[in-house]
Amino acid sequence: MEIENNKSNIIEISELNKWYGDFHALKNINMNVKEGEIIVVCGPSGSGKSTLIRCVNFLEKFQEGNIVVSGTELTDDAQKIRKIRSEVAMVFQHFNLFPHLTIVDNLTLAPIWVHNETKEEAREKALKFLERVDIKEQAEKYPNQLSGGQQQRVAIARSLCTSPKIMLFDEPTSALDPEMISEVLDVMVELAKGGITMICVTHEMGFARKMANRIIFMDEGQIVEENDPINFFKNPESDRLQLFLSQILTHEE
Amino acid sequence: MAVNELQSTRKPPITQIGAILWLRTNLFSSWINGLLTLASLYLLYISIPPLLDWMFLSANFNFGTVNILGFDIKFSEVMADNDSCGKEAACWPFIYEKIYMFIYGFYPREEVWRPDVFYGLTALFILIVRLVRNYKYKNRVILSMVVTYPIVSYILIAGGFGLLPVVETHQWGGLLLTLIIASVGILISFPIGVVLALGRQSDLRVIKLFSTLFIEFIRAVPLITILFMASFVLPLFLESGTNFDKLLRALIGIALFQAAYFAEVVRGGLQAIPKGQYEAADAVGLSYFQKNALIILPQALKISIPNIVGSSISLFKDTTLVLIIGLMDMLAMVNMTSQDIYWLGRETEGYVFVTIVFWVILYSMSRYSRKLEIRFNTENKD
C-alpha cells in the first residue's frame, strides 16, 4: 500500500531516550508517522517496541527527546496528556477490559466521561461498533463471559468509540489461543483499509506483509532497520534482522 | 489408527457417596481426628445441657401480665422478684423490668416514640435497599437515602431546630447509643479510609507521607488510648469553657481509629487490581478522579467486602469500650442495672442478653456480606 507523500506527519518522535533505572530501554529513537500510515514494529522480546508505543500516549514517561502527536507536544502537563489520550487509542495484549462493566458499558465509558456525549448517543455508537466487530449480541454480557478473541474485538471496538486519529496496538494477538488470532487480525485489516493511522507491535508477519506501509525492526532499544514490506522480507540488510527473520519465518509457509 | 466409541456417563461407586462417606471424610478421616471428634462431643455433652437448663428449663419466666400488641398475656399472677427467682437458674423478669434501660438508656419516657421511629426507619432503610436492587434508578434512590437518613435520624433523636424538644446526649444510652456510635463511626470513617488508602498509593510524596504516618500512628495505638485522648486530651487544646459534647469527642476518636483500619483494608483491594486496569483507564483519557471512581474503586471495594464487613464487625464490638469514658452503652447498662439493690447479683442474665443481641446483629451483618459477595460474583465470574 502506498501512502501519498503530501500527507503531513501526525506523530513526530525525535531523539527519544528512555531509561528504567540504569537500564537504557530506548536509544535515540527518531521516527515520523504520516496520517493514514500503517506501521508494524517488530523485534525480539525486550527490544523496546512496546515501550516505544507506550511513550506515544505517555503510559511510559521518557527522560530525553520530543514526541509531538497531532501538533501537541507531550509534556508532564496533565491537560495535554488527556487531550492526546483522547485522540490516541490503545489496544493491549491482555485486552484490559473493565470486568465490572458490561460490554456496552465498557464501550460507552470514555465517550460519556471524556467526550461528554449523552448516554443515548454513546450507546447507539457503541452498538454500531460492536456490530462492526461482529459481537453485537454479546452487548449485555460481562467481559469474563467472552472468549479471548471476542474480548480483544471488544477492546478494539472500545478504542474506536472515541473516534481516535491514531490506534496503537501492543501485541494484540500474543495472548490469544491460535484459533482466535485470525478473527482479531480480520478486524485489524478492516480498520487498516479504513484509513486510520496505526502503529502495531506484532509478530504476525502475514499481517505486516499484507497491510503495512512500513515495517520497523527494533533490537536492544534502537531502530535497526526500516523498510517497505517487500524489501523488508526480501532484502534484509542487517545481520540481526536476517537472524530474526530466519527465526520467526522458519515455521511459516 | 483406532477409533473409540463414545462412552456413556455413569454414577460414582456407591461407597463413594452417602452419609458413611461424609462421616469418614469429615469426622473420622484419621485416628487423631476421630479422637478430636469424640473429645468435642464430650465437651458439648457436659456444657450444653446445663446451659439449656439454666436458660430455659429451670429459668424463671414469671413476667406477671404482659401487654403484647393489645393482648394481655398472663405469664403468672405476680411478677417474680430477685428473691423468688432463686440463684440456680436465669431470672428473666430482671431483663423484662430493665428492658427499657437496655434499649433506650435514660432517654425520657415521654419521648420514647422517637427512638422507636428511628428503629423503624432503620429497618425500612434496610428493606428499601433490598427491594430496589433491580430498579433502574437504584443508585439515585440509595444515594438520596444515604444523605437524608442520618439527618432525619439526628433530628429525631437529638431534637432541636424548633421541631422537637432537645434530648441531651448524656441521656442517650443502651442499644440506641451502641447503634449510633457504630453506624456513625462506620459511615464517617469509610470515606476517610478510602481517601487515605488512595493517598497512600499516591504519586505525590507529601500526600503519601501524610497518609502513611496517619495510618501507621493510629494502628499502633489501642482504641482505648484514642478514646482517652479524645475525651481528656482534646479539650485541652480547645478554649476553656468550650462545651464540647462527650459523645461527639468519642465519635471523632472512633471515626479516626476506624478510618485507619478501613484504609488498610481498601489498600489491600487496590493492590489486587491489575496494572492493566490503570493503564486502560489512563489510555482512554480518564482523569485521576474518574479513573478511581469509575474503574479502580468499584473493583477494589468489591474485593474488599469481606474485610470491610469484618472490620465493621470489630468496630461494632469495640464500641463497648466507650463505657470507660462514661458513655452508657448497652454493656454499661448491664453494669448499672445489676447495681440496683432490688436486683443484686443478676449481671449474668444481663450479659447473656447483651451477648444474644450482639450475636443477632453481627451474625446478620456477616450473612449479608456473604450474600453481597455471591451476588457480585455471579455478575463477574472468572
Side-chain angles (χ1 to χ4, degrees):
Chain A
M1 290 223 305
E2 284 299 309
I3 202 87
E4 301 116 79
N5 279 326
N6 57 8
K7 289 266 184 170
S8 56
N9 286 334
I10 193 163
I11 303 175
E12 294 175 350
I13 301 174
S14 54
E15 307 287 318
L16 178 68
N17 278 284
K18 164 154 183 82
W19 287 265
Y20 289 110
D22 277 344
F23 178 69
H24 201 169
L26 291 175
K27 299 172 187 163
N28 240 23
I29 305 283
N30 287 291
M31 172 181 163
N32 291 329
V33 181
K34 288 197 164 63
E35 233 180 297
E37 212 174 2
I38 314 293
I39 307 250
V40 167
V41 184
C42 61
S45 63
S47 60
K49 46 196 193 314
S50 287
T51 311
L52 173 62
I53 68 162
R54 289 156 61 87
C55 284
V56 173
N57 65 351
F58 217 67
L59 283 187
E60 298 284 353
K61 290 183 178 174
F62 48 89
Q63 287 81 13
E64 279 178 15
N66 291 310
I67 301 181
V68 179
V69 179
S70 67
T72 312
E73 189 181 341
L74 271 182
T75 56
D76 272 333
D77 182 357
Q79 288 291 321
K80 279 188 183 170
I81 293 173
R82 285 191 71 192
K83 179 178 176 291
I84 287 175
R85 283 173 176 168
S86 69
E87 294 173 359
V88 181
M90 188 170 221
V91 176
F92 299 87
Q93 180 177 1
H94 296 288
F95 333 131
N96 297 357
L97 295 175
F98 306 127
H100 62 301
L101 300 176
T102 58
I103 299 301
V104 69
D105 288 341
N106 262 277
L107 267 67
T108 55
L109 186 95
I112 291 172
W113 292 94
V114 183
H115 299 265
N116 300 320
E117 290 176 23
T118 65
K119 267 187 184 167
E120 291 70 28
E121 272 181 292
R123 192 183 159 83
E124 199 179 312
K125 214 165 61 175
L127 292 175
K128 198 184 81 193
F129 282 115
L130 281 178
E131 194 159 19
R132 201 165 142 189
V133 298
D134 211 18
I135 27 182
K136 196 182 176 185
E137 63 284 0
Q138 319 278 10
E140 303 301 332
K141 287 194 181 169
Y142 286 89
N144 292 331
Q145 295 170 306
L146 269 55
S147 73
Q150 289 173 321
Q151 289 193 42
Q152 192 61 297
R153 284 185 283 149
V154 171
I156 293 174
R158 176 175 71 179
S159 48
L160 289 173
C161 274
T162 52
S163 320
K165 294 180 182 162
I166 302 163
M167 299 258 308
L168 306 172
F169 289 85
D170 188 2
E171 307 206 25
T173 56
S174 306
L176 295 176
D177 291 337
E179 74 271 19
M180 293 169 181
I181 290 177
S182 71
E183 65 188 68
V184 172
L185 287 179
D186 287 346
V187 172
M188 288 170 64
V189 168
E190 281 302 307
L191 276 179
K193 285 178 182 164
I196 197 168
T197 312
M198 280 168 67
I199 306 181
C200 312
V201 172
T202 182
H203 297 290
E204 295 300 327
M205 288 302 128
F207 175 81
R209 191 174 280 154
K210 198 162 66 171
M211 298 312 299
N213 301 114
R214 251 192 304 157
I215 305 178
I216 289 174
F217 173 68
M218 289 184 72
D219 195 10
E220 295 182 355
Q222 13 187 336
I223 296 181
V224 177
E225 201 170 329
E226 55 175 292
N227 219 328
D228 59 86
I230 298 168
N231 288 313
F232 185 86
F233 292 106
K234 265 193 184 158
N235 309 312
E237 284 166 28
S238 62
D239 297 344
R240 278 187 282 182
L241 178 53
Q242 285 168 10
L243 177 68
F244 178 72
L245 288 177
S246 72
Q247 283 167 339
I248 61 164
L249 295 180
T250 324
H251 298 288
E252 272 196 18
E253 284 143 289
Chain B
M1 215 161 80
V3 176
N4 289 322
E5 270 180 51
L6 200 62
Q7 301 268 319
S8 57
T9 54
R10 307 189 281 130
K11 288 234 163 71
I14 198 75
T15 51
Q16 297 301 308
I17 47 177
I20 305 281
L21 179 79
W22 187 88
L23 280 176
R24 284 189 59 167
T25 49
N26 289 299
L27 298 179
F28 299 97
S29 61
S30 68
W31 65 270
I32 210 161
N33 283 346
L35 275 182
L36 285 173
T37 303
L38 292 176
S40 312
L41 285 175
Y42 178 69
L43 274 177
L44 288 178
Y45 171 73
I46 58 168
S47 60
I48 295 293
L51 186 68
L52 287 180
D53 185 61
W54 184 86
M55 279 181 75
F56 300 109
L57 300 176
S58 308
N60 189 316
F61 288 95
N62 295 335
F63 300 127
T65 306
V66 182
N67 186 312
I68 299 172
L69 301 171
F71 295 99
D72 284 334
I73 295 174
K74 196 172 172 190
F75 283 87
S76 61
E77 286 302 326
V78 284
M79 204 178 108
D81 60 22
N82 205 10
D83 294 331
S84 66
C85 262
K87 288 287 173 197
E88 296 75 33
C91 183
W92 297 123
F94 165 67
I95 302 294
Y96 174 67
E97 195 187 281
K98 301 293 182 190
I99 193 89
Y100 187 92
M101 301 283 268
F102 288 133
I103 296 185
Y104 308 101
F106 303 104
Y107 210 87
R109 297 240 173 191
E110 62 278 12
E111 300 289 342
V112 71
W113 63 272
R114 286 155 58 176
D116 283 342
V117 172
F118 164 73
Y119 289 137
L121 271 181
T122 309
L124 192 69
F125 182 90
I126 295 167
L127 191 71
I128 291 178
V129 169
R130 304 214 49 180
L131 285 180
V132 298
R133 190 187 299 167
N134 298 318
Y135 181 52
K136 203 167 134 201
Y137 300 112
K138 63 171 180 186
N139 289 343
R140 254 177 255 181
V141 173
I142 291 175
L143 192 71
S144 57
M145 285 200 313
V146 168
V147 174
T148 50
Y149 170 76
I151 299 172
V152 172
S153 304
Y154 179 78
I155 295 174
L156 258 179
I157 302 290
F161 303 102
L163 297 167
L164 291 165
V166 175
V167 178
E168 300 279 347
T169 55
H170 64 80
Q171 291 172 289
W172 306 5
L175 178 64
L176 178 67
L177 188 68
T178 301
L179 284 176
I180 287 174
I181 294 174
S183 54
V184 172
I186 291 167
L187 287 178
I188 291 182
S189 61
F190 187 68
I192 301 176
V194 171
V195 170
L196 282 171
L198 290 173
R200 200 169 178 174
Q201 302 276 68
S202 170
D203 293 332
L204 300 169
R205 286 271 173 80
V206 182
I207 292 178
K208 184 175 178 152
L209 184 71
F210 172 79
S211 310
T212 310
L213 282 178
F214 179 87
I215 293 168
E216 292 305 328
F217 174 74
I218 298 274
R219 291 202 328 144
V221 175
L223 177 58
I224 293 223
T225 321
I226 291 176
L227 285 176
F228 273 128
M229 295 254 286
S231 194
F232 301 117
V233 183
L234 204 60
L236 299 181
F237 297 116
L238 300 167
E239 278 178 67
S240 58
T242 320
N243 189 13
F244 198 28
D245 192 88
K246 186 154 69 171
L247 174 61
L248 185 62
R249 278 178 284 171
L251 281 175
I252 292 173
I254 285 177
L256 293 180
F257 177 81
Q258 187 63 11
Y261 279 86
F262 274 145
E264 286 300 276
V265 165
V266 173
R267 189 166 71 102
L270 288 174
Q271 279 171 340
I273 305 300
K275 205 171 147 232
Q277 292 293 311
Y278 289 87
E279 291 181 345
D282 282 335
V284 295
L286 295 178
S287 66
Y288 175 83
F289 178 76
Q290 290 171 335
K291 174 172 67 178
N292 282 302
L294 299 169
I295 306 299
I296 306 302
L297 283 177
Q299 296 184 60
L301 295 182
K302 204 178 281 183
I303 309 171
S304 313
I305 288 173
N307 291 331
I308 289 171
V309 176
S311 195
S312 304
I313 288 175
S314 295
L315 176 70
F316 201 106
K317 292 186 283 190
D318 285 349
T319 56
T320 49
L321 289 174
V322 297
L323 81 95
I324 299 237
I325 57 169
L327 290 171
M328 301 307 278
D329 80 322
M330 196 162 44
L331 198 64
M333 280 299 162
V334 175
N335 286 349
M336 212 201 66
T337 50
S338 62
Q339 308 297 316
D340 184 338
I341 46 162
Y342 297 106
W343 293 100
L344 280 177
R346 290 296 171 190
E347 52 272 272
T348 318
E349 283 82 347
Y351 288 130
V352 169
F353 175 73
V354 170
T355 307
I356 293 169
V357 173
F358 266 93
W359 185 81
V360 168
I361 295 173
L362 297 178
Y363 185 67
S364 324
M365 271 168 80
S366 154
R367 293 293 303 178
Y368 186 62
S369 114
R370 250 329 268 158
K371 270 196 175 160
L372 278 182
E373 268 175 77
I374 292 168
R375 201 169 94 217
F376 285 132
N377 231 357
T378 51
E379 278 179 5
N380 188 7
K381 57 173 179 254
D382 275 307

